[in-house]
Amino acid sequence: MIGDLIKIKPDELPARRAPGKPFLRRKWVQRTALAMVLGILLGIVGVQIWLQPYRRAADAFDLSQLDKLEESSIVYDRAGRELGRLADENRELVTFSQIPAHFIEALVATEDSRYWEHNGVDWKGVARATVWNTIQGSKRQGASTITQQLARQTFQMYKEKTFSRKIREAFVAERIERTLGDKKKILELYLNRIFFGSSFYGIGAAARGYFNKEVKDLTLEEAALLVGLIKNPNLYNPISGNKDYSLRERNEVFDRMVLTKKMSAEQAAALKAKPLEINPSDSLPANGYLQQEVQSEVDRILEQQGYEGISGKGFRIHTTVDAVLQRAAENSISQRLSEIEKLPEYPAAPGRETPAEYARKWAGIRAAKNPAAKKPEVAYLQGAALVIDNKTGVVLSMVGGREFKDSQFNRVTQAKRAAGTAITPFVYATAFEGSSSPGTRVTDKQMDNKRIMLGGEYGTLGEWGCETLEQAHENEISYRQALAQGKNNCAARVGLEVGTDKVKDFAKRAGLGDVSTDPAMLLGRQDVSIRDMALAYSAFPNEGVRPTALSLVTKIENAQGEVLYQRRPDSYERARVTDPITAWMVHSCLEDTLAVGTGAPARDFGLKDYPAAGKSGTHLNYNDLWFAGYDSAVTCVVWAGLDRGGAPVYPNAFGNRVALPIWVDIMNASQTSFPAAELSPPKGIEEVELCQISGKLATDSCLELRPDPVDPSRNKLFKCSYLEYFRPGFRMTQVCDVHSGHSDAMPPPPVLLAPALAGPAGVGMAVDVEESIPVPLKAPTVVGSDPYNAITGEVASAGSPGSPPPRAGVVKELPMQPFTPSVSNPAAEQNPFLPRQPKATVD
């Protein structure tokens, strides 16, 4: 075969194909490339044209504003009166040279790891975040540089969370970098401007506020804590927020420093093992608990609106607070608790200093200039109060403690303390939702503590709920009387009868949280906040409905007067707790509580004459003292106690002696702007006249002699019946058997003169009962043994020697008994809830 090929002549070989043109010189390739280049150029031109408005917008910003720090935001009350200023004089400007290098390293590692490399925008970070967020399907990573954050903070570029805003922000950031040309200056401006929580604006104020030191003295772990706050200063705040969150964020900063090779993993592990420590300064602005709460709410609102906090940008914040009422509440807590501290029974134990003594102690510690010294714990008597509008839940007054500069812990919103006997209205309300009414009878005897186990497992249940050292059991009383008098054993019996599960359900509906079903809960071994207690009590004057949350802010304006936020009047949410009849039954009992029950001392403390209701509360060992009450317009809750849980205020300290005077002062002050009106019972509720003594249907005979309040030396007849509330369709057939009938077991009191005073049918009483004065008999008024022949000879001879016994159905004459008044205490002769026959039995 090879030989055959060799024999082929050259001219017989096939012609060779002429070589073709190079690939890139082919026309179709050149045309495609040209089209692509033109497309790219057109795209670039198009993008540039599209971006031109954003560049012009970025050029319009006045960069001189970077050096102009914030104007204070002003807080106004409901009438336009200034309440205070936020971030006023709470900024300490620092230079870059004063900031420790390790702070800058921690900041850059956490917030902008390529800060020293980019020109204002980290395009690598943008690409990374775009890819990651696309994969995740939501925005989980951001790419804002420190320069972009500075632009956003300075020019309030928050309202839109859109792609357009990010573009404008990027151009402004690049312009800042070009104009300033100094990365260190940009960091200085940024750190002097941003918010670090607790009203601290700028790194200087934050270092002073959290650690009571200058910026240059910050340690690495302190620097990491402050850097960790930048992401969410309110949530991660170690003073008023969650310290666990603060610790977590601090440690995350250490991890970022390891990733950026600013420290080793071993160094990070050692730093993360250190506890979180702060040393708050007492030089905080005196803006108080209320202003702090206003700022927190404003921050939440603006975040929802697309802003990033007020940061002192000259906002005008309008609130629901009443400045006059706020001042009255603050003054009352200060004055009344100072009076308690002067009582001889107030213990002079270690740590029981007054605010003035605490201030002197802290001044001495600071004078020693010991860098390791920390501010001592506040141990003096504390008090807090909250006033809300019954319908909407808006805050009219809030006092979170006595001295804001000593403790920024808001006891209204952040503290949870044992409710004590202030919780018992919810126990009775649970019963009223069933077949019970305020007139239902309950046993009032000493109770074995094994059934409740509050304060111990054995012995007799204490009666501290009565809030008096003069206590007596009455064998059987009404629910109304038991609630008004604060009878612990009665509340426990009622709660055990209806079931703790049902009480728990009612308490949850009232907003008191997920309470325990432990029987001790019936007497207040349940921690609740003042905020929740106020919202829960507001259901009683509100036909069983309560607001779902507190609210303070009604309108926010920027420095130019533009409205950034305004709350609609119809936007306040409410929740149904119970039916109107149950709410009214509890309300009517709480009216009696304030008038003649545990709240009766209110008159001694100056309560003015207007319709109101409420309940005092004392917890076991006298460590949590409450008064919760309301009128038709507002609900007010006052708490007093020590921050150290379990420590009694003083022996036999009751809520109606410590918290009630403050409540009276605040409620009296509220009448100027929020006058009380009479509440009306709900439609359909029925009223039945009952005897106070027997608890059964009253008759005309339900009268008793009691000392005359004008002249205690003489007795007067008083009607001892009252109108009680029942659900529609209620029927009662039992008639009072104490005054209208008798038996051998219970002889009728001979002093009840109603049958003798009754006039002819249709005419009524022959005399005014309350003005009648009983006349003691000096001799028999009937001459002879039987002048009217009313007794047969058989009965007349009864009792004579040898005479037969009386016939069945004929009552023997009884000798006249000496009168024993039902009320033995002249000072409270008209109190329908006084004990009648104290018992000493235990069940």
Side-chain angles (χ1 to χ4, degrees):
M1 175 184 269
I2 296 176
D4 294 337
L5 291 175
I6 293 175
K7 292 177 180 180
I8 297 176
K9 295 179 180 181
D11 57 348
E12 295 177 352
L13 292 174
R16 296 179 62 185
R17 190 173 62 182
K21 293 183 180 180
F23 178 78
L24 294 179
R25 295 182 61 183
R26 296 175 184 177
K27 291 185 177 181
W28 69 269
V29 173
Q30 292 177 345
R31 289 169 184 167
T32 302
L34 179 61
M36 292 177 63
V37 170
L38 289 175
I40 293 172
L41 291 175
L42 289 174
I44 292 174
V45 172
V47 169
Q48 293 298 318
I49 294 173
W50 178 70
L51 291 176
Q52 195 59 33
Y54 297 103
R55 285 199 178 92
R56 286 197 297 267
D59 292 339
F61 287 104
D62 182 7
L63 296 190
S64 66
Q65 296 295 319
L66 294 171
D67 284 316
K68 295 179 181 179
L69 294 175
E70 301 86 3
E71 177 187 355
S72 298
S73 294
I74 304 176
V75 180
Y76 299 98
D77 85 334
R78 63 191 305 113
R81 295 166 290 205
E82 184 174 329
L83 283 173
R85 292 175 177 247
L86 302 180
D88 190 23
E89 299 180 355
N90 194 22
R91 181 186 304 282
E92 296 182 24
L93 297 179
V94 299
T95 62
F96 183 85
S97 61
Q98 295 174 282
I99 305 172
H102 54 252
F103 187 99
I104 299 298
E105 290 176 349
L107 173 68
V108 171
T110 305
E111 291 295 316
D112 189 355
S113 61
R114 280 181 285 273
Y115 174 74
W116 301 107
E117 304 166 12
H118 60 66
N119 63 345
V121 180
D122 182 7
W123 295 111
K124 290 182 180 179
V126 170
R128 183 205 67 239
T130 301
V131 172
W132 180 259
N133 293 336
T134 302
I135 293 173
Q136 296 297 320
S138 63
K139 184 177 179 181
R140 296 178 179 271
Q141 284 195 8
S144 291
T145 64
I146 287 175
T147 315
Q148 286 177 277
Q149 293 181 48
L150 174 62
R152 189 185 313 148
Q153 289 281 340
T154 304
F155 302 112
Q156 302 183 31
M157 300 167 66
Y158 316 115
K159 195 165 187 179
E160 303 174 65
K161 285 198 171 183
T162 63
F163 184 69
S164 299
R165 191 213 73 182
K166 295 294 291 185
I167 294 175
R168 286 196 302 271
E169 183 182 287
F171 282 136
V172 174
E174 289 182 338
R175 184 174 168 229
I176 290 173
E177 295 263 359
R178 290 196 308 271
T179 304
L180 297 183
D182 187 347
K183 289 278 190 177
K184 294 180 180 179
K185 181 63 176 179
I186 292 172
L187 284 175
E188 177 184 308
L189 294 171
Y190 172 78
L191 289 173
N192 274 323
R193 182 174 292 276
I194 61 174
F195 179 54
F196 284 90
S198 290
S199 299
F200 304 135
Y201 291 88
I203 183 61
R208 184 79 63 187
Y210 288 115
F211 305 109
N212 199 22
K213 60 173 61 174
E214 295 182 9
V215 174
K216 63 183 179 64
D217 298 322
L218 289 173
T219 65
L220 178 54
E221 52 265 33
E222 291 168 345
L225 189 149
L226 294 180
V227 170
L229 293 177
I230 296 174
K231 188 188 303 181
N232 193 328
N234 290 316
L235 180 62
Y236 304 145
N237 189 324
I239 294 178
S240 60
N242 189 313
K243 286 190 175 182
D244 292 335
Y245 290 167
S246 305
L247 182 62
R248 183 193 69 191
E249 294 301 312
R250 186 203 71 174
N251 292 343
E252 187 173 320
V253 172
F254 295 143
D255 292 335
R256 292 291 304 170
M257 294 183 73
V258 172
L259 291 175
T260 55
K261 298 182 180 181
K262 297 300 180 181
M263 70 168 58
S264 66
E266 291 75 15
Q267 289 175 309
L271 289 169
K272 287 195 282 187
K274 293 185 178 183
L276 187 149
E277 294 182 349
I278 58 174
N279 183 26
S281 169
D282 62 349
S283 61
L284 300 178
N287 57 9
Y289 302 97
L290 177 64
Q291 284 85 344
Q292 185 183 60
E293 200 67 24
V294 168
Q295 179 158 328
S296 294
E297 184 168 328
V298 169
D299 287 339
R300 289 194 299 270
I301 292 172
L302 293 182
E303 184 177 356
Q304 295 170 357
Q305 298 291 317
Y307 290 78
E308 293 186 2
I310 59 173
S311 191
K313 296 180 177 63
F315 288 177
R316 302 297 182 261
I317 303 162
H318 300 266
T319 71
T320 59
V321 177
D322 184 270
V324 175
L325 188 58
Q326 177 69 17
R327 193 175 304 112
E330 292 173 351
N331 293 341
S332 178
I333 287 179
S334 177
Q335 176 185 341
R336 295 290 191 177
L337 294 186
S338 295
E339 294 172 357
I340 295 296
E341 290 169 333
K342 296 175 184 177
L343 294 176
E345 55 265 42
Y346 189 77
R352 285 298 189 96
E353 67 269 359
T354 65
E357 292 169 342
Y358 176 87
R360 288 193 294 269
K361 179 174 70 175
W362 177 226
I365 294 174
R366 286 182 297 168
K369 296 183 178 180
N370 181 359
K374 295 184 178 181
K375 192 171 186 178
E377 178 185 357
V378 173
Y380 52 75
L381 181 62
Q382 284 290 351
L386 175 66
V387 185
I388 65 171
D389 180 274
N390 288 341
K391 301 294 184 183
T392 62
V394 301
V395 175
L396 306 177
S397 173
M398 177 189 290
V399 182
R402 292 177 74 178
E403 295 290 347
F404 184 76
K405 62 181 176 59
D406 293 342
S407 168
Q408 292 79 56
F409 183 71
N410 191 334
R411 292 156 190 84
V412 170
T413 59
Q414 294 177 284
K416 285 194 172 185
R417 300 300 295 253
T421 50
I423 205 171
T424 55
F426 304 98
V427 177
Y428 289 93
T430 307
F432 295 158
E433 284 189 327
S435 58
S436 300
S437 75
T440 302
R441 309 293 283 183
V442 60
T443 299
D444 177 24
K445 296 179 181 179
Q446 289 185 354
M447 188 176 189
D448 193 329
N449 198 33
K450 288 182 179 180
R451 302 181 64 183
I452 299 296
M453 290 191 291
L454 184 58
E457 298 180 4
Y458 306 100
T460 302
L461 179 66
E463 286 291 350
W464 61 86
C466 295
E467 303 199 347
T468 177
L469 298 179
E470 299 177 2
Q471 300 174 7
H473 293 287
E474 305 171 58
N475 193 40
E476 185 183 83
I477 57 177
S478 66
Y479 282 14
R480 175 182 296 278
Q481 184 176 347
L483 175 54
Q485 283 190 315
K487 299 275 190 171
N488 282 357
N489 82 91
C490 296
R493 294 178 205 276
V494 172
L496 291 173
E497 182 177 350
V498 300
T500 56
D501 287 339
K502 290 184 178 180
V503 177
K504 173 183 178 178
D505 176 67
F506 191 99
K508 187 173 183 179
R509 280 182 275 141
L512 296 178
D514 190 14
V515 305
S516 168
T517 55
D518 189 323
M521 167 269 295
L522 301 173
L523 296 178
R525 195 171 68 183
Q526 171 69 33
D527 291 343
V528 300
S529 67
I530 297 174
R531 171 195 58 207
D532 293 344
M533 188 73 85
L535 291 171
Y537 262 79
S538 68
F540 299 135
N542 223 8
E543 296 187 330
V545 175
R546 67 170 179 87
T548 58
L550 301 185
S551 177
L552 275 163
V553 178
T554 58
K555 185 168 70 171
I556 303 172
E557 300 172 307
N558 63 16
Q560 291 74 41
E562 298 172 337
V563 177
L564 305 179
Y565 167 83
Q566 186 158 17
R567 182 149 194 173
R568 301 192 318 274
D570 61 349
S571 65
Y572 299 100
E573 296 182 357
R574 305 170 75 194
R576 169 67 63 184
V577 177
T578 188
D579 62 278
I581 291 180
T582 295
W584 180 262
M585 287 179 175
V586 177
H587 161 69
S588 69
C589 293
L590 295 182
E591 281 186 314
D592 288 349
T593 304
L594 187 60
V596 293
T598 59
R603 301 295 174 185
D604 300 332
F605 297 127
L607 183 66
K608 297 178 181 178
D609 188 17
Y610 52 86
K615 177 71 176 71
S616 55
T618 300
H619 189 48
L620 181 70
N621 295 332
Y622 315 105
N623 50 1
D624 289 287
L625 309 176
W626 300 77
F627 198 91
Y630 54 84
D631 59 21
S632 60
V634 304
T635 294
C636 174
V637 174
V638 176
W639 169 87
L642 295 160
D643 285 339
R644 290 180 300 165
V649 175
Y650 62 84
N652 299 316
F654 295 117
N656 65 359
R657 294 297 172 181
V658 179
L660 177 57
I662 300 171
W663 184 86
V664 169
D665 293 342
I666 296 174
M667 292 298 291
N668 284 345
S670 73
Q671 297 306 302
T672 302
S673 300
F674 312 97
E678 290 285 353
L679 294 171
S680 301
K683 294 181 179 180
I685 197 169
E686 295 186 1
E687 293 180 277
V688 178
E689 188 174 7
L690 301 182
C691 174
Q692 292 175 352
I693 308 303
S694 67
K696 301 177 182 178
L697 291 173
T699 70
D700 290 340
S701 301
C702 292
L703 306 166
E704 284 203 348
L705 278 173
R706 293 175 180 170
D708 187 344
V710 179
D711 181 8
S713 64
R714 68 175 191 167
N715 293 327
K716 291 178 62 175
L717 275 172
F718 287 92
K719 192 172 184 180
C720 62
S721 64
Y722 72 103
L723 290 176
E724 188 54 274
Y725 295 104
F726 291 89
R727 290 189 177 276
F730 175 81
R731 294 294 179 266
M732 190 172 188
T733 58
Q734 292 181 315
V735 178
C736 174
D737 54 3
V738 174
H739 301 101
S740 59
H742 63 274
S743 64
D744 291 338
M746 183 180 290
V751 296
L752 301 181
L753 307 179
L757 297 175
V763 177
M765 304 296 289
V767 296
D768 186 344
V769 174
E770 291 197 357
E771 293 300 323
S772 62
I773 302 175
V775 179
L777 299 179
K778 295 183 178 180
T781 57
V782 177
V783 180
S785 61
D786 187 16
Y788 301 109
N789 297 319
I791 303 177
T792 63
E794 179 182 11
V795 176
S797 61
S800 302
S803 62
R807 290 181 293 126
V810 180
V811 181
K812 293 197 301 181
E813 290 182 287
L814 297 173
M816 180 171 286
Q817 302 293 327
F819 170 68
T820 302
S822 299
V823 178
S824 58
N825 182 4
E829 61 281 343
Q830 296 190 65
N831 186 343
F833 299 136
L834 287 178
R836 302 190 74 240
Q837 294 180 342
K839 301 294 183 181
T841 59
V842 179
D843 72 342

